[in-house]
Amino acid sequence: MTDLRFAWLEITGKCQLSCTHCYAESGPRGGTGAMTARDWFRVISHVAELGAHRVQFIGGEPTLHPDLARFVDHSLAAGLEVEVFSNLVHIAPALWETFTRPGVRLATSYYSAHDAVTRRPGSHARTTANITKALDRAIPLRVGVIDVGSGSSDALVELDALGVRDVGVDTVRAVGRGTALSSPGPDQLCGRCGHGAVAVSTSGDVWPCVFARWMALGNILDMDLADVLLNAAPVAPVTAGPSCWPQGGGSCAPNEPPRP
């Protein structure tokens, strides 16, 4: 791959929620894995050197990683745009300051039966309150409404009332805990795996997409990202399925291709 434009950086598997469909199978017992802060700084630098324009910090819940603010600062200094994909259940005051920096965006997921999906009572109220805080601070925000079987109309009405204008809708992917709600298979992918994007996990594994977690291209604890991509076998195209959401930016929203 010589045209890297975007990278998902899955910095933790820990999350306050245990969503029924979570593709990463995150939860309260998750951790930061084998990747140290130094490893992530190296990856961020290499992503920028390879010509990417944007990184997205994901998890788990990326705001639970103690070094998230430092990762954002390092990314901005390297010339990268940043998106943090958070559940917005809790944002520490210092992180609000980080998120208001130019070049930083927020993204979150939202559901019609929010608390039932997240399996945490009160998460809907917390996420809604922090959506409002983000908008009040003029932080660019996009929201992905995931239809987990109860429809999406209520969520769309609520988001419109809150003033959220950048909204996408996606279906559950049969990856991780999502396999309990849908049948697994390559049709769960958008068909453009590895086309200008990579994902790096808490173990250092490199995937062509956060949803293609069985397609490890290599591990950046064994070699630099450039060598992983150089040595990786081409990813065979698959029949295009739903568009891809955690990426953020254009239209693969979990559903958007990276913006140039």
Side-chain angles (χ1 to χ4, degrees):
M1 179 190 300
T2 58
D3 61 342
L4 184 64
R5 292 174 287 117
F6 174 85
W8 291 277
L9 304 181
E10 189 172 284
I11 59 176
T12 182
K14 187 177 181 65
C15 185
Q16 308 99 321
L17 311 178
S18 301
C19 295
T20 56
H21 64 295
C22 181
Y23 64 87
E25 299 185 86
S26 302
R29 296 184 179 180
T32 54
M35 293 284 286
T36 66
R38 183 176 179 178
D39 292 324
W40 284 118
F41 287 135
R42 179 168 57 89
V43 168
I44 292 166
S45 295
H46 289 175
V47 165
E49 291 166 5
L50 288 169
H53 305 295
R54 172 176 296 191
V55 292
Q56 185 190 73
F57 293 102
I58 57 174
E61 171 50 36
T63 64
L64 295 179
H65 196 292
D67 292 305
L68 175 62
R70 295 172 65 207
F71 296 159
V72 171
D73 290 345
H74 189 70
S75 300
L76 295 174
L80 295 163
E81 295 181 17
V82 173
E83 185 172 76
V84 178
F85 202 107
S86 169
N87 58 37
L88 294 182
V89 167
H90 174 73
I91 304 296
L95 280 178
W96 281 121
E97 296 303 314
T98 295
F99 296 158
T100 57
R101 295 191 60 185
V104 180
R105 301 172 54 88
L106 279 176
T108 194
S109 295
Y110 200 85
Y111 315 98
S112 288
H114 200 93
D115 286 6
V117 173
T118 64
R119 296 193 282 199
R120 174 163 175 170
S123 61
H124 175 259
R126 286 172 173 264
T127 296
T128 300
N130 284 322
I131 285 175
T132 299
K133 287 183 179 180
L135 295 176
D136 288 345
R137 288 165 170 76
I139 299 170
L141 171 72
R142 68 183 182 91
V143 179
V145 175
I146 312 300
D147 184 354
V148 296
S150 56
S152 58
S153 58
D154 290 347
L156 293 173
V157 170
E158 290 175 15
L159 291 169
D160 183 66
L162 288 170
V164 181
R165 298 295 173 252
D166 191 352
V167 180
V169 179
D170 197 20
T171 55
V172 173
R173 306 306 181 86
V175 180
R177 286 197 289 267
T179 56
L181 304 174
S182 182
S183 299
D187 61 343
Q188 297 299 300
L189 306 175
C190 69
R192 296 192 297 277
C193 287
H195 291 201
V198 293
V200 181
S201 75
T202 58
S203 67
D205 281 342
V206 179
W207 307 311
C209 169
V210 291
F211 294 124
R213 304 170 85 84
W214 65 90
M215 294 185 187
L217 306 177
N219 190 293
I220 58 87
L221 296 177
D222 299 325
M223 64 182 78
D224 288 341
L225 180 59
D227 292 328
V228 171
L229 300 182
L230 181 65
N231 294 319
V235 178
V238 297
T239 302
S243 56
C244 183
W245 179 244
Q247 225 164 252
S251 193
C252 153
N255 228 349
E256 310 234 341
R259 291 174 182 165

